[in-house]
Amino acid sequence: MIPNVTKGDRMVGLINYLVGPGRANEHKDQRLIAASESIVSVEVGQRLDADSALALGREMDIPKSVFGAGREGARHVFHVSLSLPSDEGQLSDEAWGKIAHGFAEKMGFTGADGKPPCRWIAIHHGSSKAGNDHIHLAVSMVREDGTRWSQHKDFKRAQDACAELEAEHGLRVVRGPHAERGYHPKERERAVVMGAAELDRDRLQRVLRAASTASMDEAEFVRRLRRSGVLVRPRFTQGGTGAVAGYSVALRPESKAEKPVWFGGGRIARDLTLPQLRKGWNVTDETVAAALAEWKAAAHGKRPTTEGREVHQPTAAEWEKATAEVGQLYERMKTIPLDDDALWAQVARETSGAFAAWSLRTEAVPGPLADTAKALARTAQLRRFPPRVEHAPMPSAKGAGMLLMQTSVGPSTAAGHALLLAQLRNTMRAVHDMHKAAGRLGDAERVRAAAMDKLTIVRTGLQALQTQRASEQAPPAGSRWLAAAPRLESEQEQVQRLVAQSFPGAPTTAPSNAPEQAQSGARSAGPERDRGRGR
């Protein structure tokens, strides 16, 4: 929850503005949701209009009118808006009312600290232009006895009060170690005008996360970006083109008349600056030279200087290795200290990148995979990234990112994707448990909802593909082979077991023809697996 504090000397003017239409007609259904005990002209819950706004303003100013505002020219109006991030959703008036009372008490407006109270009101009038649900508190800093409320460190006190209220009400912890970049209202307006399914910056973030996770070095990252269809340009260090300090990306315009809108990596997300990305890649003299050549080629619109892993189809052995490594990652995550924010951010970045890669490959418009990548992306972004600390080598989701970026999901690969999905959900469980243990209940719930709700949709689709393949390959009914076939755990059952381990309570019912599937030989983790084993 974000507090925005301003001060002035016109109480009636402020309340008239809050009750009015707003600068862009964004104020709608204005109502009083909380107030101090001394406010009697308007009842809590009442819809507000010009007359009630005038009555409230005059009633709020009674202490100032009786005692004056203190020293000459002193401002006596304290105004704070409390807003939620746009993706936090909407709160009821009852919930906002409790938050308003809690904020007023923590700031010393209610008299709970033994001092005379201040007059205050809270008004709710819907979302801002940027889509943030919010309320406004107007407060008279002249107490009921004529003394003044202390403004000492009031901005910090407001932030501290919001941090406590976030924990008390299970809201996203805005002032915690993690923080996302905000959106400018013009970005949303542009998406509406263009009829786009998502904001440019959200699309670019998925591409950057997918490409950076799937790449082993910087040169591969540049090539993957260009293959993804985005425009990319380097920012060279001052004094020449001998080194790259940063980069910008843009979506390719649909027409020549339209100009691309460029975003620096750090403006898209805090963890997507080039220095931060380099922490996850192999860095040698050879990779630095190769990356510089690719950046220069991109800057001049030339073809990539070479080809790498991005053009190759993953093998069955790579599928098995990547899936096993994600499982090993989950086990290692259990040992990461709760306060090692940098390591948790690294794991979240790679896991988010794997889902982003999968989304780019399979979702024509943002769907559950894109939502899951976004839910994890917040954990990847820190307000301050500490200096890099060398850890013992850890398993990684980077291999999974490479697989998911380069392999389509069809009936022949659904089983392999389902197994990998179950392992990735386990890593999400670890991230969820970390947030919950740290008291960041909003972040924990966001990750849990993605794993339980969004990914259940994906898992159901994969089950349908597996069922389709099983029905196509099953032997005739009554076959002697079927009667004599050994009873092995099918991949469908492996998935159910892994899902049950990851988030207890998730539905894991197998399709009605699961027994036929189990005997159909549908144990392939990829299109090459059977051939790779000589079957």
Side-chain angles (χ1 to χ4, degrees):
M1 189 164 53
I2 305 170
N4 183 25
V5 176
T6 59
K7 298 168 187 175
D9 57 9
R10 297 179 61 246
M11 182 66 76
V12 173
L14 170 63
I15 297 177
N16 275 333
Y17 167 72
L18 297 178
V19 174
R23 294 187 177 91
N25 295 318
E26 73 273 24
H27 295 176
K28 298 178 181 178
D29 192 21
Q30 299 89 325
R31 61 263 188 207
L32 184 71
I33 61 167
S36 57
E37 294 181 354
S38 55
I39 300 299
V40 296
S41 63
V42 178
E43 294 183 359
V44 171
Q46 181 176 328
R47 265 39 181 186
L48 302 175
D49 54 22
D51 291 338
S52 55
L54 180 60
L56 278 173
R58 289 173 174 173
E59 192 173 20
M60 288 282 290
D61 261 349
I62 289 177
K64 183 254 184 182
S65 299
V66 172
F67 298 104
R71 66 182 186 279
E72 186 176 352
R75 292 181 291 183
H76 74 290
V77 177
F78 181 95
H79 170 218
V80 58
S81 63
L82 306 179
S83 63
L84 300 177
S86 58
D87 58 353
E88 187 83 24
Q90 307 284 317
L91 295 183
S92 66
D93 283 357
E94 181 182 4
W96 271 125
K98 292 179 181 178
I99 290 172
H101 276 284
F103 183 85
E105 181 175 332
K106 295 176 189 298
M107 294 295 290
F109 299 143
T110 64
D113 55 358
K115 298 179 181 179
C118 298
R119 298 193 174 200
W120 64 272
I121 60 173
I123 294 175
H124 192 195
H125 55 202
S127 300
S128 67
K129 286 179 63 178
N132 307 99
D133 191 21
H134 67 287
I135 61 171
H136 294 264
L137 274 77
V139 185
S140 172
M141 291 189 282
V142 180
R143 298 181 184 275
E144 295 288 355
D145 67 345
T147 59
R148 283 186 64 92
W149 174 79
S150 174
Q151 301 180 54
H152 181 63
K153 294 185 177 180
D154 53 353
F155 290 92
K156 183 179 185 303
R157 287 157 59 192
Q159 291 179 338
D160 292 344
C162 284
E164 294 177 18
L165 289 167
E166 286 165 349
E168 292 173 9
H169 294 271
L171 300 174
R172 173 185 295 183
V173 181
V174 174
R175 299 302 301 176
H178 308 99
E180 294 174 298
R181 296 294 188 196
Y183 295 96
H184 194 280
K186 289 185 177 180
E187 294 183 61
R188 299 185 184 278
E189 293 171 6
R190 170 182 165 80
V192 172
V193 170
M194 301 296 292
E198 61 183 338
L199 302 185
D200 287 0
R201 195 140 49 109
D202 284 342
R203 170 73 180 186
L204 290 169
Q205 182 172 171
R206 278 196 294 151
V207 173
L208 291 174
R209 292 198 180 283
S212 60
T213 298
S215 300
M216 294 300 295
D217 55 48
E218 191 171 333
E220 184 180 343
F221 170 68
V222 179
R223 294 193 298 269
R224 286 189 184 277
L225 284 183
R226 300 182 70 185
R227 287 173 62 88
S228 297
V230 303
L231 302 177
V232 56
R233 64 187 184 191
R235 177 169 57 83
F236 294 102
T237 54
Q238 294 183 353
T241 59
V244 177
Y247 68 96
S248 298
V249 289
L251 295 181
R252 191 178 300 277
E254 295 184 0
S255 67
K256 294 183 178 179
E258 184 184 354
K259 294 183 178 180
V261 180
W262 292 90
F263 296 86
R267 186 180 166 196
I268 293 175
R270 296 173 183 269
D271 63 316
L272 295 179
T273 64
L274 196 53
Q276 289 301 323
L277 292 178
R278 283 170 172 162
K279 294 178 181 179
W281 294 326
N282 297 328
V283 179
T284 64
D285 291 343
E286 291 76 12
T287 61
V288 170
L292 181 59
E294 295 294 357
W295 283 120
K296 289 181 177 179
H300 294 95
K302 297 181 179 179
R303 292 179 177 275
T305 61
T306 187
E307 291 184 344
R309 300 187 317 153
E310 68 277 358
V311 301
H312 300 301
Q313 182 71 14
T315 65
E318 288 173 317
W319 267 103
E320 293 179 356
K321 179 181 178 182
T323 303
E325 190 169 8
V326 176
Q328 295 163 9
L329 172 62
Y330 169 61
E331 295 300 324
R332 284 291 301 274
M333 290 173 74
K334 298 176 183 179
T335 67
I336 300 177
L338 285 178
D339 59 355
D340 195 340
D341 296 326
L343 193 52
W344 281 108
Q346 174 187 322
V347 172
R349 181 185 308 117
E350 293 174 356
T351 308
S352 174
F355 284 112
W358 199 346
S359 170
L360 290 175
R361 188 75 177 183
T362 62
E363 294 180 329
V365 296
L369 292 168
D371 293 340
T372 302
K374 189 171 184 178
L376 285 164
R378 176 175 166 78
T379 304
Q381 301 178 63
L382 300 178
R383 295 184 184 278
R384 295 181 180 84
F385 285 91
R388 182 172 182 177
V389 176
E390 293 297 332
H391 294 274
M394 279 192 62
S396 169
K398 291 180 71 66
M402 183 273 291
L403 294 174
L404 294 169
M405 195 170 192
Q406 295 179 219
T407 307
S408 297
V409 182
S412 63
T413 60
H417 280 79
L419 280 172
L420 186 54
L421 173 65
Q423 298 288 24
L424 288 169
R425 283 180 65 158
N426 272 333
T427 67
M428 293 181 68
R429 178 189 182 184
V431 174
H432 162 273
D433 291 347
M434 177 272 294
H435 282 306
K436 186 175 181 180
R440 295 188 285 269
L441 303 184
D443 284 327
E445 173 57 23
R446 190 165 292 101
V447 174
R448 188 209 65 80
M452 294 291 289
D453 302 335
K454 304 297 183 180
L455 294 187
T456 295
I457 299 173
V458 179
R459 181 167 56 85
T460 300
L462 291 173
Q463 286 179 339
L465 286 173
Q466 289 177 266
T467 301
Q468 174 186 339
R469 183 188 180 212
S471 63
E472 292 172 351
Q473 297 185 357
S479 167
R480 292 184 178 180
W481 179 89
L482 180 61
R487 183 68 176 91
L488 301 177
E489 183 183 42
S490 70
E491 291 205 357
Q492 175 69 28
E493 292 167 325
Q494 293 178 47
V495 171
Q496 293 174 29
R497 174 170 49 79
L498 288 169
V499 169
Q501 292 172 356
S502 59
F503 280 89
T508 57
T509 303
S512 59
N513 61 346
E516 286 80 6
Q517 179 183 336
Q519 305 300 337
S520 68
R523 288 183 286 271
S524 168
E528 313 247 352
R529 182 168 174 181
D530 289 346
R531 292 197 296 273
R533 293 190 175 183
R535 294 180 181 177

